[in-house]
Amino acid sequence: MLILKKKTAELLAAAVKEKFGEGLLSEEEIFSGLEYPPDSSMGDIALPCFRLSKALRRSPVDIAAGLAEAIRCDEFASVTALKGYLNFKIDPTAFSARVVNDVATLGDKYGSPKSGEGKTVVLDYSSPNVAKPFHIGHLGTTVIGHSLKLLHEFAGYKCVGINYLGDWGTQFGKLIVAYKLWGDKEAILRGGVDELVKLYVKINNAIKDEEDASLAANPDGEKHSELADASRREFTKLEHGDEENLALWRWFVDVSLAEYQKTYKLLGIDFDSYKGESFYTDKMPAQVEKLREMGLLEIDDGASIVNLEKWNMPVCLILKRDGSTLYPTRDIAAAVYRYNTYNFDKAIYVTSAAQSLHFAQWFKVVELMGYEWYPGLVHVPYGTVSINGAKLATRTGNVVLLKDLFAEAISRVYDITKEKHPDHDECMAIAEKVGVGAIVFYYLSNNRMRDINFMMEDALSFDGNTGPYVQYTYARTCSVLERAGTKGEMTDAPLGEVEFELAKCISRFPERVAAAIDEYEPSLVTRYILDLAAAYNRFYHECKILSCEDEKIRSSRIALTAAANQVLRTALHLICMQTPDKI
Ligand code: ARG
């Protein structure tokens, strides 16, 4: 459809020139004014002429009439002027054949905007904090991030996916103290991150108790905790390379990562780099030095900061009073390292909107430091996730772990499929794909900035706009093709409205992909999948495919099914969904 829209704009630009004179409207201006009318009985593409009135100094009605006269093209069945609109009707059979043939020739490349060829993008996403829970708050960064990676790869970008693990910081001092006091190696080997989180929660509570007790004993004094002091000492030892602490730290990171990997595997995600926060420790001093040399640092109550008042932002903290570095300091050093390593055109960071200010601040600092690549830095924020029903709450308090969310979805789908097909031995494999897909699809159906209240029942339903429904539709196309035993071929048999609607929907895929990349919005692909599934299901119910007596029509309908099958598969993969061919 995009190609046709472009071509329409081209024809119109020529017609404007012929009818009304040179230099009045560019092809781009015309292109951006073209619309797809909601009711296609009017036309398949339309140009509302109201906005052109000023530039062309004529009434919309005159403009539409004049242009209708000047356009000549066999792509269109008709071009008519109606009340200030210019309506283009496409020849359904020729158009559908072209679209279906395009899909057949390009295969899984169909829809690629090719806008990324020769360019590199690094994507920083997921990035959980070791020994803290990997919870539903991370669902957004994980699936939006990975989907953006897949979309960029699809557009031809060279992509580097980075998991910037939170693997450094004072929490490791606490964890080391807790482990030395109460730790049980066997329990951690068995229980993984959950055990680490328990230790972490336990020491935090113990510190709080000590502090409260110290305040109760001396209400005017400063709060104090032995355990907090010990934690600081252990972290300092770790920073200085103490072997015992380093070995513990490495073990904690490995245990955590091994567990995150299980979730990544379910989602089909892997990263090109796991360089976490610890990796950048020795890369910060050079950036701090540069800031100081450039006169960008100010001392504020003993801390070193960059003043961002001119840009209406609070100060960016670079060094604490005790000289230790902060979150922005590390991000700046990491960005410099990544630019030097990957020479990126874009560096995308996907985090919750709660971190928007942090990114705006340090992006500004990078600009002030004179790094010419600062315009390539992009922050992609997303809204909050909450969950209905207490059933999913975990032992770790009120957070819902991602692995529990997926496990719950998988087990529910398993029960349903097992009931329907008791002798099906692939039930578990299918339940994994459908259960995980249901969560991903539900999450990615919404505009990313929207706050989501997760409803498990809704996500898993087979008859709503859900993951299971679209996967089922995909499986339906597979089954038609399997029974047909051929991919069909478009013929000159005239097509009806329903088939034409399906072809038009297929033709819109490339522009939806392009928009999803431009807006960093995977939900545009999700919603496209729903449109395509609806168009295919309508076609499936209203048109005989395999039982159609007319051989030519049957062949065209099979070919339409093959095209829908290809585009559904491509689109589902772009939003991290699997495509089982049977459900
Ligand atoms: N680990 C951080 C968190 O869980 C997210 C890191 C995002 N990436 C970054 N470069 N700051 O909040």
Side-chain angles (χ1 to χ4, degrees):
M1 205 69 175
L2 191 59
I3 303 170
L4 198 60
K5 203 170 156 190
K6 284 211 176 100
K7 186 149 184 209
T8 311
E10 199 179 297
L11 288 167
L12 278 167
V16 167
K17 212 195 248 171
E18 181 188 319
K19 276 275 160 187
F20 305 117
E22 201 131 355
L24 294 169
L25 274 176
S26 72
E27 197 179 309
E28 288 73 43
E29 283 168 302
I30 295 174
F31 181 83
S32 67
L34 289 174
E35 288 175 356
Y36 299 129
D39 171 7
S40 55
S41 66
M42 308 286 287
D44 301 296
I45 297 182
L47 180 72
C49 299
F50 310 95
R51 269 173 276 153
L52 313 183
S53 243
K54 211 163 147 213
L56 302 182
R57 293 198 214 154
R58 271 177 191 76
S59 76
V61 174
D62 284 353
I63 298 174
L67 291 177
E69 226 173 73
I71 296 265
R72 284 168 295 270
C73 172
D74 337 317
E75 288 275 353
F76 299 112
S78 70
V79 181
T80 44
L82 186 73
K83 296 184 189 153
Y85 281 89
L86 190 61
N87 295 322
F88 296 83
K89 266 197 124 352
I90 302 169
D91 175 60
T93 310
F95 176 80
S96 306
R98 209 187 46 199
V99 173
V100 170
N101 291 339
D102 269 1
V103 179
T105 323
L106 294 168
D108 58 9
K109 302 278 182 308
Y110 173 77
S112 160
K114 296 212 181 78
S115 48
E117 269 161 24
K119 295 191 201 140
T120 300
V121 32
V122 304
L123 299 103
D124 174 316
Y125 62 100
S126 198
S127 312
N129 298 322
V130 169
K132 293 190 192 167
F134 190 23
H135 56 79
I136 53 159
H138 292 103
L139 182 62
T141 172
T142 306
V143 299
I144 295 171
H146 196 62
S147 175
L148 289 178
K149 182 182 181 204
L150 298 170
L151 280 161
H152 280 83
E153 263 166 1
F154 189 53
Y157 284 89
K158 179 171 176 272
C159 291
V160 186
I162 301 180
N163 193 331
Y164 183 63
L165 280 179
D167 63 357
W168 202 247
T170 46
Q171 80 258 36
F172 287 96
K174 290 184 185 169
L175 207 54
I176 290 169
V177 172
Y179 180 73
K180 286 180 180 171
L181 281 174
W182 313 300
D184 171 355
K185 187 168 177 184
E186 292 305 314
I188 293 175
L189 286 176
R190 251 181 290 115
V193 178
D194 290 354
E195 286 302 313
L196 294 179
V197 173
K198 271 193 218 159
L199 282 176
Y200 188 64
V201 170
K202 185 165 174 180
I203 185 145
N204 276 322
N205 290 337
I207 288 175
K208 175 123 197 341
D209 289 346
E210 285 189 344
E211 286 175 349
D212 290 348
S214 79
L215 280 182
N218 181 6
D220 303 322
E222 281 208 20
K223 60 183 180 185
H224 175 75
S225 153
E226 277 305 320
L227 285 169
D229 287 349
S231 302
R232 275 188 282 274
R233 280 195 302 276
E234 293 297 350
F235 183 60
T236 308
K237 272 166 68 185
L238 177 63
E239 281 185 301
H240 289 95
D242 176 86
E243 292 217 359
E244 188 191 5
N245 282 7
L246 262 181
L248 278 176
W249 165 75
R250 224 168 266 138
W251 182 50
F252 295 151
V253 172
D254 289 347
V255 165
S256 307
L257 196 52
E259 185 156 317
Y260 305 147
Q261 295 286 16
K262 289 187 207 153
T263 300
Y264 294 143
K265 195 162 169 240
L266 278 178
L267 287 162
I269 295 181
D270 68 34
F271 292 88
D272 304 292
S273 160
Y274 287 88
K275 287 194 168 65
E277 297 190 16
S278 65
F279 179 78
Y280 298 98
T281 302
D282 63 354
K283 306 193 170 37
M284 286 182 280
Q287 300 312 315
V288 175
E289 213 26 59
K290 182 172 160 82
L291 279 164
R292 200 179 321 243
E293 274 168 19
M294 293 182 78
L296 288 165
L297 282 190
E298 285 176 24
I299 304 297
D300 180 8
D301 196 20
S304 304
I305 56 128
V306 178
N307 191 322
L308 298 175
E309 218 177 347
K310 265 196 226 156
W311 296 276
N312 288 321
M313 285 187 277
V315 301
C316 182
L317 278 163
I318 301 293
L319 294 177
K320 280 198 244 174
R321 229 179 337 170
D322 63 6
S324 57
T325 53
L326 286 135
Y327 192 40
T329 329
R330 213 172 277 274
D331 259 323
I332 294 168
V336 173
Y337 173 85
R338 290 172 189 172
Y339 184 75
N340 294 338
T341 308
Y342 303 111
N343 193 16
F344 59 70
D345 295 278
K346 280 199 285 187
I348 295 171
Y349 298 81
V350 188
T351 78
S352 93
Q355 297 195 30
S356 292
L357 178 62
H358 160 75
F359 283 93
Q361 287 177 305
W362 76 259
F363 286 2
K364 184 48 94 182
V365 174
V366 167
E367 178 184 347
L368 295 175
M369 291 171 87
Y371 288 115
E372 78 286 359
W373 41 265
Y374 79 89
L377 300 171
V378 184
H379 179 229
V380 178
Y382 59 87
T384 60
V385 184
S386 55
I387 271 209
N388 74 315
K391 255 182 260 155
L392 282 159
T394 65
R395 284 156 291 146
T396 42
N398 53 3
V399 294
V400 175
L401 300 181
L402 265 189
K403 63 172 180 184
D404 293 347
L405 182 67
F406 287 127
E408 171 91 13
I410 293 169
S411 98
R412 291 211 204 176
V413 176
Y414 181 79
D415 292 345
I416 300 169
T417 21
K418 199 74 199 162
E419 206 174 290
K420 272 204 216 151
H421 314 281
D423 42 280
H424 214 323
D425 34 319
E426 291 163 67
C427 278
M428 196 56 202
I430 292 173
E432 270 191 7
K433 292 177 184 167
V434 177
V436 172
I439 305 253
V440 171
F441 194 89
Y442 185 85
Y443 181 76
L444 289 180
S445 313
N446 296 289
N447 208 306
R448 63 179 154 75
M449 281 307 283
R450 221 170 101 187
D451 295 332
I452 293 174
N453 180 25
F454 215 102
M455 309 289 267
M456 192 60 126
E457 298 295 332
D458 293 353
L460 292 179
S461 156
F462 268 77
D463 41 43
N465 285 334
T466 62
Y469 156 75
V470 294
Q471 279 174 326
Y472 186 77
T473 304
Y474 173 76
R476 168 172 280 167
T477 62
C478 292
S479 136
V480 170
L481 293 173
E482 196 189 314
R483 280 181 287 137
T486 152
K487 288 193 163 181
E489 212 177 322
M490 291 306 277
T491 64
D492 56 7
L495 295 179
E497 195 54 32
V498 178
E499 291 131 312
F500 183 35
E501 284 303 323
L502 175 59
K504 272 197 283 183
C505 188
I506 292 172
S507 79
R508 267 176 222 140
F509 183 51
E511 53 204 280
R512 294 290 184 96
V513 169
I517 294 174
D518 282 352
E519 296 168 33
Y520 304 100
E521 189 61 85
S523 68
L524 294 177
V525 177
T526 316
R527 286 201 290 268
Y528 171 77
I529 293 171
L530 287 173
D531 291 348
L532 181 53
Y536 185 78
N537 283 322
R538 182 166 165 225
F539 161 78
Y540 180 85
H541 290 300
E542 292 185 21
C543 302
K544 285 183 185 171
I545 306 174
L546 299 177
S547 59
C548 175
E549 294 88 31
D550 184 307
E551 215 161 288
K552 277 187 166 179
I553 298 181
R554 184 171 63 234
S555 172
S556 293
R557 288 181 179 166
I558 294 171
L560 271 162
T561 299
N565 170 276
Q566 173 64 63
V567 176
L568 277 172
R569 184 167 57 243
T570 308
L572 283 164
H573 288 170
L574 287 173
I575 56 162
C576 319
M577 300 248 315
Q578 311 244 13
T579 47
D581 46 21
K582 260 196 222 89
I583 287 192

